[in-house]
Amino acid sequence: MNDTKLWYDKGADGWKQGLPLGNGKMGAVIYGDAAREVWCLTEITYWSGKPEETPFAPRDKADLEALRDNFWRGDYAAGEERAAALLQSEKGNFGTHMPLCDLIVTFRDVIGGGVTRELDLETALYAFACEDRTGIRREALASHPDGVIAGHLASARPGGVSFALALEGRTERFTSSADAASGVLSFAGRATETMHSDGQCGVRAEGRVRVVTRGGQVTAHGGRLVVEGADEAWIYVAASTDYGREGEDWRGECAIAVDRAAAKGYAKVREDHVADYRKLYDRVAVSLGSPRESGRLPLDERMSRLREGVDDPGLFALFFQYGRYLTISGSREDSALPLHLQGIWNDGEANRMAWSCDYHLDINTEMNYFPTEAANLAECHLPLLRYVERLAEAGRRTARDFYGAPGWVAHVFSNAWGFTAPGWHYSWGLNVTGGLWLAEQLRVHYEYGLDDEFLRRSAYPVLKEAALFFLDYMSVHPETGWLVTGPSNSPENSFYVGEDRDRSYALSMGATLDQVLVRDLFAFCLDAAERLGTDAAFQAQLSAAIRRLPPLQIGAGGQLQEWLEDYGEAQPDHRHVSHLHALFPGAQITPRDTPALAEAAKRTLANRMDAAELEDVEFTLALFAGGFARLGEGELALRQLSYLVGRLCFDNLLTYSKAGIAGAESNIFVADGNFGGGAAFAEMLMQSHGGAIHLLPALPASWHTGSIRGLKARGNAEVDLVWADGELTGATIRAGAPLQTALRYGNREIRLNLQAGETVAVDAELIASSALPTER
């Protein structure tokens, strides 16, 4: 079996077939064939644009109330016209993440032969071998301990390693030079472009590529390094930027990194890299009992067979572990920024068009971190959590200027400098809970780890300020007395009012997503304040507000309403299903506790899936899979994952958004599908919400036999599962903190009460009994 490798028996024609490496700071997508190899290099902070305040004349409460009056009267056209005048911002130098450059290795005297190309998820090592007369084997890695991307080239015959090394920039402001004496290529660049900024501003970068050989000679020709007749060669690459830095000290960091790595030697760099990586990766192991022959097929063939309807459970296990690999590679504890639209990689496609390679706060950035806690990678969550803290600081001015409110707010997207204003068109830019949606990850991190110091220092202060904003911002519905948000949108979607189909609208009062997020926010802040023994008056304010929030509602068609009113859906095939946040990843809707709402959510999913022109993009399929997992519908969840993996992934298993959707000019790599799909996979095997750990809640028939070790549950517990013939045969729960929870399997349930450090082992029979053996 070979379900921990992405491997192929042919070269990669381009980036979309390349294999990604990353160390949390730099990334590389490696592609090519026997004669030529390209490393597309990125650096997480290499952004165009600059920090700048959004020019805006502060508004007062009267402006906002006058705007809302239009919606209360049902004059949506006037309301949107007024919102355009009052609440839209200018784009300015928003910027985008950009590729750094391409490192191109061209080999001499290659005749060709059988090719093997692979990425080993257990070691985070890339390898390429060609059965030609040179017999050159290539290996590459991205080392987090040493801060470099490194490669090793070796030949089966003495003196068989000959190649040229060159750099190609991805922007106009890029220069490079070669020095044969030191074996160094140096480069410098600035991240400038004119689609998302003025072409004059952007982060500066410098980099070093150092070549070390055993035997042979190194010369420089036309800006390239040329290696001839070596027995072995090693390549070390590092880059540094001036992001968030003053002065010029940053310039020397890349040279120091490559020199230290070269002095240390590749063997030790490799050893330390594998050890560092495996400390995280090895926490979780999964097997779905796939046939032995499935892992022996190249990945592109397996994906093709999946599209033809061939069962391959191991492919889904590979997809899940690949998502964990991408998380570890792209988001480490010390990463300067979190994962963006393409993780830390960038093919240059999204940022050259109106999309931008940024932080979308209306699903994409959150989804990048959906599986992080359950996949036992809590440290990898920290870059996002620090980013939310900085976003909250920037959002205070936006709350004051746009809404005359205390606390903080952010809207539909952000950038490297914490942009928080509304987008430049109200129809999609006035998503007033975008920042709150992202900030929910603070709550999620706490629920899994139960770190009271994190709660006191970070989660509660940030979320308290968000709650203060919404307590001030929300208004009372004139008929129901409900406390509602508005004006805002249900992300990027629109509706009809009554029987009028001549015009659709985006803005309304009290969109369902807003209410779901606000309810979770208020409930968490109330519980946290009680736990911390603080803010008694604030607790009373929250309790009163929670009682006045509107309930989730079921529309005339049996669907979960997306808006406060049962509007007609102008786009029933829309890619966003934000109101289903209450089902997944939230938990306000469950089949056990809210069966009517669960049926309405299921109807909503069916309606979207049945729409003739469904915008079936990567994040939508991941949400469908997660939603069906929460509903206990394993076969339907698997159907969505199968479509995602088989039809919305490139050959390198990276997910993409299809051309033609939301203005995309081509199939564009978007990382959220890898992470959202991984989260759905975990939810099919184990769920932990609502005070319970649910074992095998959505197991499809084709996954009838398998095991998983090391999943993390809320309450700081680890869970191992083994099953055969579709039935649980054993489970182990390890408590990292005092754990009081229900343990469910099917319709059976027992209570667990464990102390920190205790372990309990159960099987399906024991779940019917409360007499459980425990050990310390």
Side-chain angles (χ1 to χ4, degrees):
M1 292 178 64
N2 195 2
D3 280 332
T4 58
K5 289 184 178 180
L6 285 70
W7 79 272
Y8 309 83
D9 59 3
K10 61 178 72 70
D13 290 337
W15 194 98
K16 292 173 181 177
Q17 293 180 330
L19 295 170
L21 300 174
N23 61 17
K25 180 178 187 290
M26 286 190 71
V29 171
I30 301 180
Y31 60 91
D33 53 26
R36 185 174 184 266
E37 184 167 277
V38 178
W39 296 9
C40 178
L41 300 174
T42 52
E43 203 280 345
I44 188 63
T45 65
Y46 197 59
W47 272 71
S48 65
K50 64 181 180 181
E52 59 186 11
E53 292 188 350
T54 302
F56 190 79
R59 308 297 180 185
D60 58 28
K61 296 290 187 183
D63 292 319
L64 192 57
E65 290 306 318
L67 170 57
R68 287 171 173 158
D69 283 344
N70 293 295
F71 293 101
W72 294 137
R73 295 195 310 269
D75 192 347
Y76 295 88
E80 291 192 344
E81 182 179 352
R82 190 66 176 152
L86 291 177
L87 297 176
Q88 287 185 170
S89 60
E90 297 179 3
K91 187 173 185 179
N93 288 292
F94 180 85
T96 178
H97 182 260
M98 300 188 69
L100 191 59
C101 63
D102 289 341
L103 176 65
I104 302 171
V105 189
T106 306
F107 296 92
R108 199 183 70 185
D109 300 330
V110 174
I111 297 175
V115 164
T116 302
R117 181 172 59 96
E118 70 177 32
L119 174 64
D120 188 341
L121 301 185
E122 291 189 335
T123 58
L125 294 171
Y126 167 87
F128 186 101
C130 180
E131 298 174 0
D132 72 346
R133 65 185 180 85
T134 63
I136 294 179
R137 296 185 59 85
R138 292 141 40 183
E139 183 179 85
L141 58 87
S143 167
H144 177 253
D146 287 296
V148 297
I149 297 175
H152 177 212
L153 300 91
S155 173
R157 62 182 179 86
V161 177
S162 297
F163 62 91
L165 203 62
L167 290 165
E168 287 187 4
R170 291 292 195 105
T171 63
E172 291 183 1
R173 300 190 182 190
F174 181 87
T175 59
S176 65
S177 60
D179 181 69
S182 60
V184 168
L185 284 174
S186 301
F187 65 87
R190 189 165 191 180
T192 56
E193 46 76 44
T194 57
M195 175 66 74
H196 308 285
S197 59
D198 62 10
Q200 302 301 312
C201 53
V203 168
R204 293 180 295 165
E206 288 197 356
R208 296 290 185 276
V209 181
R210 182 169 177 183
V211 177
V212 178
T213 64
R214 182 170 67 86
Q217 64 177 359
V218 181
T219 58
H221 299 282
R224 301 180 304 157
L225 289 178
V226 178
V227 175
E228 295 182 286
D231 299 324
E232 293 181 276
W234 297 270
I235 302 171
Y236 303 92
V237 185
S240 51
T241 79
D242 69 348
Y243 173 78
R245 308 284 291 274
E246 296 182 359
E248 300 297 318
D249 291 346
W250 62 274
R251 290 185 181 277
E253 292 175 353
C254 57
I256 293 171
V258 296
D259 288 347
R260 285 177 175 171
K264 185 176 181 177
Y266 182 83
K268 183 59 175 171
V269 169
R270 185 186 194 274
E271 177 186 345
D272 291 349
H273 154 71
V274 172
D276 172 76
Y277 169 79
R278 295 195 72 159
K279 282 190 300 184
L280 296 172
Y281 180 83
D282 285 353
R283 292 175 182 172
V284 176
V286 59
S287 170
L288 291 184
S290 58
R292 292 184 61 86
E293 60 268 17
S294 68
R296 294 179 178 175
L297 294 174
L299 180 56
D300 52 342
E301 291 187 29
R302 296 177 70 180
M303 295 170 69
S304 177
R305 285 161 57 92
L306 181 67
R307 288 190 289 272
E308 295 169 358
V310 177
D311 285 338
D312 187 354
L315 181 54
F316 298 99
L318 178 68
F319 182 79
F320 171 71
Q321 290 288 50
Y322 188 44
R324 295 184 68 246
Y325 164 83
L326 294 172
T327 296
I328 299 167
S329 300
S331 186
R332 297 301 289 265
E333 188 171 356
D334 57 356
S335 294
L337 287 170
L339 299 162
H340 55 64
L341 196 71
Q342 295 190 320
I344 64 168
W345 303 275
N346 196 327
D347 60 0
E349 289 293 297
N351 53 272
R352 71 173 177 80
M353 59 185 73
W355 270 49
S356 175
C357 194
D358 58 27
Y359 297 110
H360 278 52
L361 309 185
D362 60 357
I363 186 59
N364 311 93
T365 306
E366 296 90 336
M367 186 174 282
N368 286 349
Y369 289 88
F370 276 5
T372 307
E373 298 291 339
N376 213 336
L377 296 173
E379 301 94 324
C380 298
H381 214 161
L382 297 180
L384 180 73
L385 307 183
R386 290 194 299 269
Y387 180 79
V388 171
E389 293 184 40
R390 299 200 300 271
L391 204 65
E393 293 177 8
R396 293 190 188 110
R397 180 176 182 267
T398 299
R400 182 189 70 235
D401 287 355
F402 283 79
Y403 304 105
W408 72 275
V409 66
H411 293 80
V412 70
F413 47 48
S414 191
N415 59 15
W417 297 282
F419 180 90
T420 57
W424 24 99
H425 196 274
Y426 67 82
S427 62
W428 49 265
L430 203 57
N431 175 26
V432 76
T433 52
L436 172 56
W437 197 348
L438 193 68
E440 272 211 321
Q441 296 302 124
L442 295 164
R443 172 178 63 82
V444 170
H445 183 70
Y446 175 73
E447 289 174 346
Y448 275 90
L450 297 184
D451 182 346
D452 283 343
E453 178 57 28
F454 171 77
L455 178 68
R456 181 179 297 105
R457 173 185 53 80
S458 179
Y460 179 65
V462 171
L463 291 172
K464 176 185 175 182
E465 278 204 74
L468 290 173
F469 169 80
F470 283 102
L471 286 169
D472 184 89
Y473 167 77
M474 296 172 80
S475 60
V476 177
H477 193 293
E479 296 179 3
T480 64
W482 291 335
L483 198 60
V484 301
T485 60
S488 66
N489 60 23
S490 185
E492 304 185 40
N493 208 349
S494 57
F495 57 88
Y496 294 124
V497 177
E499 299 301 318
D500 183 6
R501 296 297 187 266
D502 292 332
R503 177 172 175 178
S504 63
Y505 301 95
L507 297 185
S508 69
M509 301 295 292
T512 297
L513 171 67
D514 288 4
Q515 306 309 319
V516 170
L517 292 171
V518 168
R519 183 178 293 276
D520 279 345
L521 170 69
F522 287 179
F524 177 77
C525 285
L526 179 59
D527 289 345
E530 291 174 349
R531 185 180 184 91
L532 296 173
T534 189
D535 294 334
F538 181 53
Q539 290 183 44
Q541 192 178 9
L542 289 171
S543 295
I546 289 171
R547 291 192 294 271
R548 300 178 68 186
L549 295 176
L552 293 169
Q553 300 178 85
I554 300 173
Q559 87 288 2
L560 184 71
Q561 284 186 196
E562 187 164 355
W563 295 275
L564 194 65
E565 306 294 334
D566 193 8
Y567 300 128
E569 294 181 305
Q571 295 178 273
D573 51 7
H574 201 269
R575 61 195 176 278
H576 282 271
V577 285
S578 303
H579 52 311
L580 290 183
H581 183 282
L583 175 68
F584 171 78
Q588 292 180 28
I589 296 175
T590 68
R592 180 187 180 95
D593 298 326
T594 60
L597 289 171
E599 282 298 314
K602 187 174 181 180
R603 167 51 54 193
T604 300
L605 286 167
N607 289 346
R608 287 293 166 93
M609 290 167 53
D610 292 343
E613 300 296 329
L614 171 66
E615 295 180 326
D616 50 348
V617 299
E618 80 300 330
F619 72 81
T620 306
L621 270 295
L623 289 173
F624 284 176
F628 281 123
R630 286 290 179 88
L631 292 169
E633 299 280 359
E635 301 303 328
L636 291 174
L638 178 58
R639 186 184 304 173
Q640 313 313 310
L641 274 187
S642 298
Y643 193 97
L644 175 65
V645 174
R647 299 188 180 277
L648 293 176
C649 283
F650 298 120
D651 285 348
N652 58 11
L653 212 54
L654 294 177
T655 59
Y656 66 82
S657 184
K658 294 193 301 187
I661 294 179
E665 299 170 18
S666 61
N667 294 341
I668 299 176
F669 162 50
V670 182
D672 55 20
N674 288 100
F675 303 117
F681 176 94
E683 292 281 334
M684 294 166 73
L685 300 181
M686 190 271 289
Q687 296 174 17
S688 64
H689 52 79
I693 298 174
H694 196 171
L695 309 180
L696 302 181
L699 186 70
S702 61
W703 297 2
H704 51 79
T705 299
S707 65
I708 191 164
R709 170 182 54 79
L711 284 179
K712 198 75 178 288
R714 285 176 171 84
N716 195 6
E718 284 191 3
V719 178
D720 303 342
L721 300 172
V722 181
W723 64 95
D725 299 324
E727 296 292 333
L728 179 73
T729 59
T732 303
I733 294 88
R734 294 179 293 276
L739 179 68
Q740 294 183 350
T741 188
L743 187 66
R744 293 180 187 154
Y745 173 61
N747 294 322
R748 289 166 284 181
E749 178 180 305
I750 59 171
R751 297 295 305 178
L752 289 184
N753 189 350
L754 304 179
Q755 297 301 309
E758 282 189 320
T759 296
V760 62
V762 304
D763 59 24
E765 298 297 327
L766 283 175
I767 292 182
S769 168
S770 60
L772 298 174
T774 63
E775 60 184 32
R776 291 299 292 265

Short mmCIF file of all heavy atoms in Angstrom, two decimals, residues 1 58 115 148 165 182 230 249 340 343-344 347 354 370 403 414 431 448 458 461 485 495 505 577 597 607 618 624 628:
data_model
loop_
_atom_site.label_atom_id
_atom_site.label_comp_id
_atom_site.label_asym_id
_atom_site.label_seq_id
_atom_site.Cartn_x
_atom_site.Cartn_y
_atom_site.Cartn_z
N MET A 1 0.84 -1.20 0.00
CA MET A 1 0.00 0.00 0.00
C MET A 1 0.88 1.25 0.00
O MET A 1 1.93 1.29 0.61
CB MET A 1 -0.93 0.01 1.22
CG MET A 1 -1.99 -1.07 1.20
SD MET A 1 -3.01 -1.03 2.66
CE MET A 1 -3.78 0.57 2.49
N PRO A 58 -16.34 60.22 8.79
CA PRO A 58 -17.09 59.49 9.81
C PRO A 58 -18.59 59.79 9.76
O PRO A 58 -19.02 60.91 9.51
CB PRO A 58 -16.46 60.01 11.11
CG PRO A 58 -15.08 60.43 10.73
CD PRO A 58 -15.23 60.99 9.35
N VAL A 115 10.27 7.56 -15.82
CA VAL A 115 10.29 8.62 -14.83
C VAL A 115 9.47 8.21 -13.61
O VAL A 115 8.41 7.59 -13.74
CB VAL A 115 9.71 9.93 -15.42
CG1 VAL A 115 9.35 10.93 -14.33
CG2 VAL A 115 10.70 10.54 -16.39
N VAL A 148 15.25 27.24 4.93
CA VAL A 148 15.69 27.18 3.54
C VAL A 148 14.85 26.16 2.78
O VAL A 148 14.24 25.25 3.36
CB VAL A 148 17.19 26.80 3.41
CG1 VAL A 148 18.07 27.85 4.05
CG2 VAL A 148 17.45 25.41 3.98
N LEU A 165 21.74 26.72 -13.78
CA LEU A 165 20.78 27.25 -12.80
C LEU A 165 20.53 28.71 -13.13
O LEU A 165 21.47 29.50 -13.23
CB LEU A 165 21.38 27.12 -11.39
CG LEU A 165 20.45 27.10 -10.19
CD1 LEU A 165 19.51 25.90 -10.25
CD2 LEU A 165 21.27 27.04 -8.91
N SER A 182 31.68 32.06 -5.48
CA SER A 182 30.95 31.66 -4.27
C SER A 182 29.84 30.66 -4.57
O SER A 182 29.24 30.11 -3.65
CB SER A 182 30.34 32.90 -3.60
OG SER A 182 29.44 33.56 -4.48
N ALA A 230 30.00 17.21 -11.98
CA ALA A 230 30.01 16.96 -10.54
C ALA A 230 29.50 15.55 -10.22
O ALA A 230 28.73 14.96 -10.98
CB ALA A 230 29.14 17.98 -9.81
N ASP A 249 18.22 45.87 8.08
CA ASP A 249 18.78 44.64 8.66
C ASP A 249 18.24 43.38 8.00
O ASP A 249 18.90 42.35 7.99
CB ASP A 249 18.48 44.58 10.16
CG ASP A 249 19.26 45.63 10.95
OD1 ASP A 249 20.20 46.19 10.37
OD2 ASP A 249 18.92 45.86 12.13
N HIS A 340 -3.27 32.26 2.82
CA HIS A 340 -4.16 33.10 2.02
C HIS A 340 -4.92 32.24 1.03
O HIS A 340 -5.04 31.01 1.21
CB HIS A 340 -3.38 34.22 1.33
CG HIS A 340 -2.23 33.76 0.49
ND1 HIS A 340 -2.38 32.98 -0.64
CD2 HIS A 340 -0.88 33.97 0.60
CE1 HIS A 340 -1.20 32.74 -1.19
NE2 HIS A 340 -0.27 33.32 -0.45
N GLY A 343 -2.91 29.38 0.01
CA GLY A 343 -2.02 28.86 1.05
C GLY A 343 -0.82 29.76 1.21
O GLY A 343 -0.94 30.92 1.61
N ILE A 344 0.38 29.25 0.92
CA ILE A 344 1.56 30.11 0.80
C ILE A 344 2.12 30.02 -0.62
O ILE A 344 3.19 30.57 -0.89
CB ILE A 344 2.67 29.76 1.81
CG1 ILE A 344 3.23 28.36 1.56
CG2 ILE A 344 2.18 29.91 3.23
CD1 ILE A 344 4.51 28.08 2.34
N ASP A 347 0.44 30.68 -8.17
CA ASP A 347 0.76 30.46 -9.57
C ASP A 347 0.65 31.73 -10.41
O ASP A 347 0.84 31.70 -11.62
CB ASP A 347 -0.12 29.36 -10.17
CG ASP A 347 -1.60 29.69 -10.10
OD1 ASP A 347 -1.97 30.77 -9.59
OD2 ASP A 347 -2.41 28.85 -10.54
N ALA A 354 -9.29 40.19 -11.36
CA ALA A 354 -10.03 40.93 -10.34
C ALA A 354 -10.16 40.17 -9.03
O ALA A 354 -10.55 40.73 -8.02
CB ALA A 354 -11.43 41.28 -10.87
N PHE A 370 -10.40 25.20 8.99
CA PHE A 370 -11.46 24.33 9.51
C PHE A 370 -10.92 23.04 10.13
O PHE A 370 -11.36 22.63 11.19
CB PHE A 370 -12.46 23.98 8.40
CG PHE A 370 -13.54 25.01 8.18
CD1 PHE A 370 -13.55 26.22 8.85
CD2 PHE A 370 -14.56 24.76 7.27
CE1 PHE A 370 -14.55 27.17 8.63
CE2 PHE A 370 -15.57 25.69 7.05
CZ PHE A 370 -15.56 26.90 7.72
N TYR A 403 -19.72 53.28 11.48
CA TYR A 403 -20.94 52.98 12.24
C TYR A 403 -21.09 53.75 13.55
O TYR A 403 -22.10 53.60 14.24
CB TYR A 403 -21.00 51.47 12.54
CG TYR A 403 -20.90 50.62 11.31
CD1 TYR A 403 -19.72 49.93 11.00
CD2 TYR A 403 -21.96 50.51 10.42
CE1 TYR A 403 -19.61 49.16 9.86
CE2 TYR A 403 -21.86 49.74 9.26
CZ TYR A 403 -20.68 49.06 8.99
OH TYR A 403 -20.58 48.30 7.85
N SER A 414 -9.55 40.99 3.55
CA SER A 414 -8.47 41.77 4.14
C SER A 414 -7.17 41.45 3.41
O SER A 414 -7.14 40.62 2.49
CB SER A 414 -8.35 41.47 5.64
OG SER A 414 -7.48 42.41 6.25
N ASN A 431 -20.41 42.96 4.02
CA ASN A 431 -20.59 41.75 4.84
C ASN A 431 -20.11 42.07 6.25
O ASN A 431 -18.94 41.86 6.59
CB ASN A 431 -19.80 40.59 4.23
CG ASN A 431 -19.84 39.36 5.08
OD1 ASN A 431 -20.77 39.15 5.84
ND2 ASN A 431 -18.81 38.53 4.98
N TYR A 448 -11.07 23.46 21.74
CA TYR A 448 -10.29 22.24 21.60
C TYR A 448 -9.19 22.13 22.65
O TYR A 448 -8.92 21.03 23.14
CB TYR A 448 -9.68 22.17 20.20
CG TYR A 448 -10.60 21.59 19.17
CD1 TYR A 448 -11.46 22.41 18.44
CD2 TYR A 448 -10.62 20.22 18.90
CE1 TYR A 448 -12.31 21.88 17.47
CE2 TYR A 448 -11.46 19.68 17.94
CZ TYR A 448 -12.31 20.52 17.24
OH TYR A 448 -13.15 19.98 16.29
N SER A 458 -6.23 36.44 24.94
CA SER A 458 -6.52 36.68 23.54
C SER A 458 -7.99 36.52 23.19
O SER A 458 -8.64 37.46 22.76
CB SER A 458 -5.67 35.73 22.68
OG SER A 458 -5.92 35.92 21.32
N PRO A 461 -10.70 38.92 25.17
CA PRO A 461 -10.63 40.36 24.84
C PRO A 461 -11.03 40.69 23.41
O PRO A 461 -11.76 41.66 23.17
CB PRO A 461 -9.15 40.70 25.10
CG PRO A 461 -8.69 39.69 26.07
CD PRO A 461 -9.43 38.42 25.73
N THR A 485 -29.05 42.50 12.91
CA THR A 485 -28.01 43.25 12.22
C THR A 485 -28.62 43.95 11.01
O THR A 485 -29.76 43.70 10.64
CB THR A 485 -26.91 42.31 11.73
OG1 THR A 485 -27.49 41.36 10.84
CG2 THR A 485 -26.24 41.59 12.87
N PHE A 495 -31.55 38.28 -3.62
CA PHE A 495 -32.90 37.78 -3.43
C PHE A 495 -33.91 38.66 -4.16
O PHE A 495 -33.61 39.79 -4.56
CB PHE A 495 -33.26 37.74 -1.93
CG PHE A 495 -33.12 39.06 -1.23
CD1 PHE A 495 -34.19 39.97 -1.19
CD2 PHE A 495 -31.94 39.43 -0.60
CE1 PHE A 495 -34.07 41.19 -0.55
CE2 PHE A 495 -31.80 40.65 0.04
CZ PHE A 495 -32.88 41.53 0.07
N TYR A 505 -31.94 42.02 -5.02
CA TYR A 505 -31.28 42.86 -4.02
C TYR A 505 -30.27 42.03 -3.24
O TYR A 505 -30.41 40.82 -3.10
CB TYR A 505 -32.31 43.46 -3.07
CG TYR A 505 -33.35 44.30 -3.77
CD1 TYR A 505 -34.58 43.75 -4.13
CD2 TYR A 505 -33.10 45.63 -4.09
CE1 TYR A 505 -35.54 44.51 -4.79
CE2 TYR A 505 -34.05 46.40 -4.75
CZ TYR A 505 -35.27 45.83 -5.10
OH TYR A 505 -36.21 46.58 -5.76
N VAL A 577 -23.38 29.06 0.59
CA VAL A 577 -24.49 28.56 1.43
C VAL A 577 -24.21 28.97 2.87
O VAL A 577 -24.21 28.16 3.80
CB VAL A 577 -24.65 27.03 1.31
CG1 VAL A 577 -25.28 26.65 -0.01
CG2 VAL A 577 -23.30 26.32 1.47
N LEU A 597 -35.18 21.69 12.09
CA LEU A 597 -34.20 22.53 11.41
C LEU A 597 -33.20 21.68 10.62
O LEU A 597 -32.73 22.09 9.55
CB LEU A 597 -33.46 23.41 12.43
CG LEU A 597 -34.28 24.54 13.05
CD1 LEU A 597 -33.51 25.20 14.19
CD2 LEU A 597 -34.66 25.58 11.99
N ASN A 607 -31.79 21.36 -2.53
CA ASN A 607 -32.17 22.39 -3.49
C ASN A 607 -30.96 22.91 -4.25
O ASN A 607 -31.01 23.09 -5.48
CB ASN A 607 -32.87 23.55 -2.78
CG ASN A 607 -34.25 23.19 -2.29
OD1 ASN A 607 -34.82 22.17 -2.68
ND2 ASN A 607 -34.81 24.02 -1.41
N GLU A 618 -14.94 24.54 -5.36
CA GLU A 618 -14.28 23.70 -4.37
C GLU A 618 -14.83 23.90 -2.96
O GLU A 618 -15.10 22.92 -2.25
CB GLU A 618 -12.76 23.93 -4.44
CG GLU A 618 -12.20 25.15 -3.74
CD GLU A 618 -12.72 26.49 -4.24
OE1 GLU A 618 -13.07 26.61 -5.43
OE2 GLU A 618 -12.79 27.44 -3.44
N PHE A 624 -20.86 21.14 1.35
CA PHE A 624 -21.87 20.10 1.16
C PHE A 624 -21.46 18.83 1.93
O PHE A 624 -22.27 18.22 2.63
CB PHE A 624 -22.03 19.76 -0.32
CG PHE A 624 -22.79 20.76 -1.13
CD1 PHE A 624 -22.92 20.61 -2.50
CD2 PHE A 624 -23.39 21.87 -0.54
CE1 PHE A 624 -23.63 21.52 -3.27
CE2 PHE A 624 -24.09 22.79 -1.30
CZ PHE A 624 -24.21 22.62 -2.67
N PHE A 628 -23.54 17.24 5.12
CA PHE A 628 -24.11 15.90 5.13
C PHE A 628 -23.49 15.04 6.23
O PHE A 628 -24.17 14.18 6.82
CB PHE A 628 -23.95 15.24 3.76
CG PHE A 628 -24.95 15.70 2.75
CD1 PHE A 628 -24.54 16.26 1.55
CD2 PHE A 628 -26.31 15.59 3.01
CE1 PHE A 628 -25.48 16.69 0.61
CE2 PHE A 628 -27.25 16.03 2.07
CZ PHE A 628 -26.83 16.58 0.88
#
